[in-house]
Amino acid sequence: MKVITFILSLVVSFTAFANDINPAKDLLLKMANAVHNRNFDASFVVVKGKTMEPYRWIHAKQGDTELEHLSLLNGAGLEMVRVNNQVTYFEPQSEPYSLKTDSIAGPIPEVLFKDIERLSAHYDFVMGGKGRIAGRAAQLVRIESKDEFKYNYWIWLDMESSLLLKAAYVNHEGEALEQLQLTHVSVTEQPASMLLEVLNRNFPTPLPESDLGGAENTAKNWSINWLPDGFELLKSDRHKLDLNNELTDYYLFSDGFVEISIFIQRPLPGKRLSGALTSGATTVYVHNGGNFDVSVVGNVPSMTAKAIAESVTRAL
């Protein structure tokens, strides 16, 4: 009897161990490690419908110092520089500013360069097929939402360097809504000289972190009665919109992968119908709640944004 019990316990332990092994998740972790530790110079484009945004992305590891530079190449340009846990943003017609953070807020979800285990409760990691991207052998890894309220995210990884080669937001019908693809990537032994020059530059002192107490007070003004599973409040405040100088209550939610912004303000002059606008994977849904307007912005299906907007009520 003891022998049978011992064998059964071994079977249970082996099954649990086997279930914990996920080659897709392991590849994503290898990608995160490669992004943080390799020296590379890459160019990529983000395609949203008929629009295309070109970027240059450079990374280096110099001793214990991690250096990263991301720049938007079209228009007036946008430049972001990271030195370890400080990111400085250089935006057109604005003074540069720095933030204390370990990742650049760019077109690639930040969580992909961290421990993606936090996504496991609401997303599955699935191996896809092999192919060639930018002339390099690539392996597809699919991050699949466990419900219909969020998009899936597919990533093609370089089988040699583990770096990202292509990514896409994909709906549940398998249609790619927004794509990011590298057009060039070079991996080198030595850091790029332009990144080493960053070490000699003076950057603005990081801005102080936001006051969470104010966020909690603002959150008491409204009740957001429905969100997809896993979303938590990151930030809340009251400020004026640059577009129309109107005062708005602002809420930022995230499930660790996708961020959703909610703006609540008094109705603007003129009767407006509720409705959605989309650009690539981004949805902007505006809902007229009678004596207030709600705008929901995020990389989620329009039905999700609509349900969130319509759930907003004044707090009792």
Side-chain angles (χ1 to χ4, degrees):
M1 188 67 179
K2 290 183 178 179
V3 174
I4 295 175
T5 302
F6 176 72
I7 292 174
L8 287 175
S9 66
L10 285 179
V11 171
V12 171
S13 299
F14 179 79
T15 302
F17 176 75
N19 289 336
D20 192 52
I21 297 175
N22 186 324
K25 184 169 67 174
D26 288 345
L27 285 179
L28 292 175
L29 293 173
K30 286 181 180 178
M31 177 193 68
N33 182 67
V35 166
H36 284 295
N37 291 286
R38 287 187 177 273
N39 301 312
F40 61 86
D41 187 344
S43 298
F44 65 84
V45 294
V46 176
V47 180
K48 300 181 181 182
K50 296 181 180 179
T51 66
M52 183 180 70
E53 297 176 338
Y55 289 83
R56 186 181 182 190
W57 181 23
I58 313 173
H59 181 273
K61 191 72 177 292
Q62 179 73 355
D64 294 330
T65 303
E66 193 174 352
L67 305 167
E68 187 175 14
H69 182 276
L70 180 66
S71 55
L72 175 62
L73 303 180
N74 272 3
L78 172 64
E79 183 182 3
M80 293 151 276
V81 179
R82 181 169 70 89
V83 180
N84 287 333
N85 294 330
Q86 178 174 317
V87 177
T88 303
Y89 293 86
F90 299 88
E91 301 176 348
Q93 301 177 342
S94 299
E95 290 294 323
Y97 63 94
S98 299
L99 300 175
K100 276 291 184 184
T101 176
D102 60 358
S103 54
I104 288 176
I108 305 172
E110 300 170 18
V111 69
L112 296 179
F113 307 141
K114 301 179 181 180
D115 183 2
I116 47 83
E117 179 60 39
R118 61 187 293 195
L119 302 179
S120 297
H122 305 289
Y123 295 87
D124 292 319
F125 308 110
V126 182
M127 292 287 284
K130 294 181 172 64
R132 288 187 67 79
I133 305 292
R136 304 173 75 94
Q139 171 66 56
L140 170 61
V141 175
R142 305 199 309 265
I143 300 176
E144 302 278 354
S145 171
K146 292 184 178 181
D147 60 50
E148 69 275 22
F149 302 116
K150 301 181 290 291
Y151 292 130
N152 303 320
Y153 197 77
W154 293 8
I155 305 173
W156 287 259
L157 302 177
D158 184 355
M159 294 179 65
E160 180 180 349
S161 69
S162 296
L163 292 173
L164 180 150
L165 294 176
K166 181 180 176 180
Y169 286 96
V170 179
N171 63 21
H172 291 272
E173 287 72 47
E175 177 186 7
L177 305 173
E178 179 176 322
Q179 299 188 60
L180 178 155
Q181 180 165 335
L182 268 68
T183 55
H184 162 80
V185 59
S186 60
V187 181
T188 60
E189 288 294 326
Q190 299 300 320
S193 58
M194 71 165 290
L195 271 187
L196 294 181
E197 293 171 4
V198 165
L199 294 173
N200 299 319
R201 293 173 63 178
N202 293 320
F203 296 106
T205 301
L207 298 173
E209 295 184 10
S210 59
D211 182 2
L212 292 179
E216 292 172 358
N217 290 335
T218 304
K220 294 177 182 177
N221 296 336
W222 302 93
S223 295
I224 298 164
N225 299 299
W226 184 85
L227 285 160
D229 288 343
F231 279 86
E232 298 179 355
L233 181 66
L234 295 185
K235 179 182 178 183
S236 174
D237 63 32
R238 174 173 287 179
H239 62 264
K240 288 188 176 182
L241 295 175
D242 293 337
L243 184 64
N244 53 26
N245 207 35
E246 285 286 329
L247 196 64
T248 183
D249 285 337
Y250 168 67
Y251 300 81
L252 176 65
F253 291 87
S254 175
D255 68 345
F257 186 68
V258 176
E259 292 185 349
I260 295 175
S261 295
I262 302 174
F263 302 86
I264 307 170
Q265 65 186 79
R266 68 177 185 176
L268 296 177
K271 182 67 175 177
R272 293 191 304 161
L273 298 176
S274 299
L277 295 174
T278 59
S279 174
T282 304
T283 295
V284 179
Y285 190 89
V286 179
H287 170 66
N288 184 284
N291 58 354
F292 61 91
D293 280 352
V294 182
S295 299
V296 176
V297 182
N299 286 1
V300 292
S302 56
M303 69 168 186
T304 302
K306 179 176 185 291
I308 295 171
E310 292 179 347
S311 80
V312 174
T313 58
R314 288 191 180 275
L316 298 178

